[in-house]
Amino acid sequence: MDNTTEVTEFVLVGLSDDPEVQILLFLTFSLIYLLSLVGNLGMTERILLDSRLHTPMYLFLSQLSLVDFGYSSAVTPKVMAGFLTGDKTISYEACVTQFFFFVAFITVESFLLAAMAYDRCAAVCKPLHYTAAMTTKACARLLTGCCFCGFLNACVHTGNVFRLSFCGCHVVNHFFCDAPPLLALSCSDSYVSEMVIFFVVGFNALFSVLIILNSYLFIFVTILRMRSSEGRQKAFSTCASHLTAVSIFYGTVIFMYLQPSSSHSMGTDKMASVFYTMVIPMLNPLVYSLRNKEVKGAFKTAVGKAKSSIGFIL
């Protein structure tokens, strides 16, 4: 006889049971989420409204900002609500939904970073053919492909994880519904599910990283052949922001998902998860705005207009 019972909700352990620590974490995460919200939506708004930024590079950047906002919003509001109300339960359906959208957005970001590397390669290596290669139709196809792969991947992982049986203890040793703690909680044999995650994540990461490495190999060869030091500096500055974002993102994802379950330390995993679910979405707008003259110029123009409007009202 099957003694398993249908799961209706999970209990998220969270990051701390100490009320004082929870208040501190709530204030910290609120600030991070606010900066992420303002930074990513502000970046998207500036790119849409400033005609100087209507180029493929900034089109991809605006989509990256939306994706960052998306996967941060899939996790952070629930965590903050838990700190405020003390309610750590999440329904089975809400857990599935959170997991699905988190995986979808983070996979879209993975492929989007690869598409951005290809765009930079085309701009630096073949500047005369860039406008012909990166047409609006080509950009739309790349973005559609990134989104399709992201949501297809989310369907695969969601079905793979939630096909398992969850019986007995329903306490998830994490602050959101992620694959490693859910697999650890399952009373089914999770070996096949672990292998599916390992190979699918491994393939996606390898495919994206190979595109990025190949693109930057061509970029660096092209830069080394440049005779003008000014041209080299401009090419490096164009790629520096993207390289920084790639290093932070892939370093964290590989650390989290491309290791066997026996090697997982939930304390370490939680800290890494805080970094890539909350901190990275906050950092990306800062990285791209601080190292990009066009974006800084657009924001300065917006601030100047805002000051003029306030002065006119007063």
Side-chain angles (χ1 to χ4, degrees):
M1 179 179 287
D2 188 2
N3 292 324
T4 61
T5 56
E6 185 179 353
V7 175
T8 58
E9 64 180 26
F10 294 102
V11 178
L12 300 171
V13 170
L15 294 167
S16 175
D17 290 325
D18 188 329
E20 292 183 359
V21 174
Q22 287 186 358
I23 293 172
L24 179 61
L25 289 174
F26 173 77
L27 294 174
T28 303
F29 291 168
S30 296
L31 177 60
I32 291 174
Y33 187 63
L34 180 62
L35 290 174
S36 178
L37 175 71
V38 172
N40 285 298
L41 296 186
M43 179 76 75
T44 304
E45 183 264 348
R46 276 296 89 206
I47 291 171
L48 287 175
L49 296 181
D50 196 321
S51 59
R52 294 172 298 177
L53 304 180
H54 291 176
T55 64
M57 174 181 171
Y58 295 108
L59 172 63
F60 288 125
L61 181 54
S62 67
Q63 298 308 304
L64 180 69
S65 295
L66 288 176
V67 170
D68 279 337
F69 172 68
Y71 80 77
S72 176
S73 298
V75 174
T76 311
K78 174 60 181 174
V79 177
M80 291 164 59
F83 288 142
L84 273 182
T85 64
D87 181 11
K88 296 184 177 182
T89 60
I90 183 171
S91 69
Y92 183 89
E93 292 77 12
C95 186
V96 173
T97 303
Q98 184 186 63
F99 180 82
F100 176 84
F101 281 105
F102 173 73
V103 173
F105 283 124
I106 205 168
T107 308
V108 171
E109 174 144 348
S110 173
F111 287 109
L112 194 54
L113 288 171
M116 293 172 76
Y118 173 76
D119 171 69
R120 290 300 82 211
C121 180
V124 174
C125 301
K126 300 287 184 181
L128 297 179
H129 300 91
Y130 178 66
T131 53
M134 298 302 293
T135 61
T136 303
K137 185 179 289 187
C139 293
R141 286 174 179 170
L142 284 172
L143 290 173
T144 302
C146 291
C147 293
F148 175 79
C149 290
F151 282 88
L152 177 63
N153 189 58
C155 290
V156 170
H157 284 303
T158 304
N160 178 52
V161 171
F162 289 94
R163 70 178 179 81
L164 300 173
S165 299
F166 300 95
C167 48
C169 179
H170 299 157
V171 178
V172 179
N173 189 13
H174 215 312
F175 60 89
F176 75 104
C177 293
D178 198 11
L182 288 170
L183 291 178
L185 190 64
S186 171
C187 55
S188 306
D189 183 1
S190 61
Y191 176 77
V192 173
S193 295
E194 289 177 15
M195 289 300 100
V196 169
I197 290 173
F198 181 84
F199 284 112
V200 174
V201 173
F203 173 79
N204 290 340
L206 182 63
F207 179 76
S208 301
V209 168
L210 283 177
I211 292 176
I212 292 168
L213 290 177
N214 189 55
S215 297
Y216 275 102
L217 176 63
F218 283 108
I219 288 172
F220 288 139
V221 169
T222 302
I223 289 174
L224 290 175
R225 290 176 177 173
M226 290 180 178
R227 296 179 181 180
S228 167
S229 59
E230 184 180 346
R232 288 184 182 182
Q233 186 176 358
K234 184 178 180 181
F236 271 122
S237 65
T238 300
C239 302
S241 301
H242 182 257
L243 269 177
T244 304
V246 165
S247 302
I248 295 172
F249 178 81
Y250 281 104
T252 312
V253 169
I254 289 171
F255 171 80
M256 275 295 299
Y257 297 106
L258 294 184
Q259 57 174 318
S261 58
S262 58
S263 302
H264 278 277
S265 164
M266 279 304 167
T268 306
D269 283 359
K270 286 180 186 180
M271 292 302 103
S273 297
V274 167
F275 193 74
Y276 75 78
T277 58
M278 301 180 195
V279 179
I280 289 179
M282 177 195 69
L283 286 179
N284 278 344
L286 294 175
V287 168
Y288 279 98
S289 60
L290 292 175
R291 301 189 66 91
N292 191 294
K293 292 180 180 179
E294 287 84 0
V295 174
K296 283 194 288 187
F299 275 110
K300 285 179 180 178
T301 301
V303 171
K305 288 180 178 179
K307 286 181 177 178
S308 299
S309 300
I310 292 171
F312 176 77
I313 293 171
L314 294 177

